[in-house]
């Protein structure tokens, strides 16, 4: 029973680490996606300005 408890606690710690890492990645990836979207819009607008000019 002691061994099973130790294994369970070990897995709980691992899963908590994975959860925390996923939370960090969610924020980081959202930031990158927002920045890429803004860059894409800026590039698209610059081509539109070239066509008008």
């Amino acid at each position: 029973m002691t061994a099973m408890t130790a294994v369970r606690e070990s897995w709980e710690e691992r899963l908590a680490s994975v959860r925390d890492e996923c939370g960090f990645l969610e924020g980081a990836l959202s930031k990158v996606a927002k920045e890429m979207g803004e860059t894409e819009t800026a590039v698209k607008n610059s081509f539109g300005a070239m066509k008008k000019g």
Side-chain angles (χ1 to χ4, degrees):
M1 190 65 171
T2 304
M4 293 292 284
T5 300
V7 169
R8 183 188 51 125
E9 289 173 354
S10 172
W11 275 104
E12 287 174 349
E13 289 174 12
R14 291 177 195 178
L15 291 173
S17 294
V18 169
R19 183 196 62 229
D20 294 345
E21 183 69 16
C22 287
F24 168 78
L25 288 174
E26 178 184 16
L29 292 173
S30 293
K31 180 181 175 186
V32 168
K34 181 179 182 293
E35 290 172 359
M36 288 181 72
E38 290 171 355
T39 300
E40 185 176 323
T41 300
V43 170
K44 183 179 177 182
N45 291 340
S46 70
F47 282 118
M50 287 174 55
K51 287 181 183 179
K52 292 178 185 177

